[in-house]
Amino acid sequence: MDVEAPARDPSRFDDDGRVKRTGNVFTATTHIVTVVIGAGVLALAWAMAQLGWIAGISVMIAFACISMCTYYFIADCYRFPDPVTGKRNYTYMQAVNSYLGGKMHVFCGAVLYAKLAGVTVGYAITSSISMVAIKKAICFHKHGHDAYCKFSNNPYMVGFGVLQVLLSQTPNFHKLTWLSTMAAATSFGYAFIGSGLSLAVVIQGKGQPTSLFGKKIGPDLTQEEKVWKVFSALGNIALASSFATVIYDIMDTLKSSPPENVQMKRANILGISAMTILFISCGGLGYAAFGNNTPGNILTGFGFYEPYWLVALGNVFIVLHMVGAYQVMAQPLFRVIEMGANIAWPHSDFINKGHPIKMGFLSCEVNFFRLIWRTAYVVIATVLAMAMPFFNEFLGLLGAIGFWPLIVFFPIQMHIAQRQIKTQSLKWYALQLLSLICFLVTAAAAIASIRGISKNIKKYKLFKYKQ
């Protein structure tokens, strides 16, 4: 006798069979703000110093307007082919594959995972600089502001790498949710400490001279160097503005009524507006405090010496954020390689089998492929960070890698495909012109950042950099 399976209760499940989502515009907005608050915010004052008040604020507003436009397109591509009733795309790559096909899917994957890999290197650099800054804050407090307080980053990078090797062995990223939550909370902590200390300097009347057009050309700054620093500053702002890698993760939390794309468009406007106000405030306050000689990172460049405990606390928050954020970025990269290995060698015990290990009261399951591959990755990322510990240049390069392809090119191409915009129509030309302009900005920022890294590598001996 045939027994019918019980029907799913539509009040408890969404159209794809998953438990009903409950997110809304407010929760999506908070996710966006949480994602963009990161170490890049602390570099915005340096970027403002290179660009000046007029160009600095204008660039931030321009990036915000471009982002609102392209994230509007991305929101419509969460479902395929119809933005309201179509099948869900759970990831950015899945959306690209649905609308643009396999070749673009591969290109998107290459860019996305290259950026994730680069960000992990950047996080290792940032964490070590902040750990050294904690030691320097204590040293300056004890021995005076003119004391010799320079230390090597390498021991701290090694320590950070060892910790990440241990955390990376967690097979299921959901078990690290507490780490991600801690990282998000601490990011607000150091952003507000940096801005608060800058505001205190300005209120006390100790702010340094600023300029409408940034640091002036003179004995300390050639015209050529000025141009390269401006391009690198664009990359720093671009990195701070990006949340494309997680936008579909955010959309996948939204309830289906009103439609997800409608809710996400509202969240994009609110989130990007809040982001822009925050960026202009952080960048502007830092620039007003330190003027044209603003350090690359306002909490580690020692524009502030006192209160030393607050400077140290801000850097502790940065380190805690980097510990969690590293895993947020690395786990998707680990997972895609392991899935590929599983598909290529489905019967390999080395790749697929777990081996239970018990040590006293502790027991765990070890997969040898995961152990070797993830350890090797963290080691390589740590060595690269030790070889190139240059904060602003590396942030600029990461911003350049992700801005044009992920925030501009793919969204525009998906929009053209979805709306079936005719080739060589006025709208088609306008969209392609926007893409071209953003590509040129990205290319300039990437070249400037690579040049800066190359110049610093020649200036400092490998693995012997001190700050």
Side-chain angles (χ1 to χ4, degrees), residues 394-416:
F394 210 88
L395 288 187
L397 180 59
L398 293 176
I401 290 172
F403 179 70
W404 174 72
L406 298 178
I407 299 179
V408 181
F409 175 73
F410 287 123
I412 284 177
Q413 298 308 314
M414 288 193 291
H415 178 70
I416 290 172

Side-chain angles (χ1 to χ4, degrees), residues 17 53 111 117 123 130 227 232 263 288 390 397 408 410 428 437 442 444:
W53 288 112
V111 173
Y123 285 167
S130 288
V227 171
S232 186
Q263 295 183 77
F390 313 118
L397 180 59
V408 181
F410 287 123
W428 184 88
I437 292 170
T442 290

Side-chain angles (χ1 to χ4, degrees), residues 133-134 137-138 141 193 197 299 302 304-317:
I134 295 168
I138 296 169
H141 178 71
I193 286 174
L197 288 171
L299 280 180
F302 280 86
F304 305 112
Y305 290 95
E306 301 292 343
Y308 82 100
W309 61 268
L310 191 57
V311 176
L313 180 62
N315 282 290
V316 168
F317 283 158

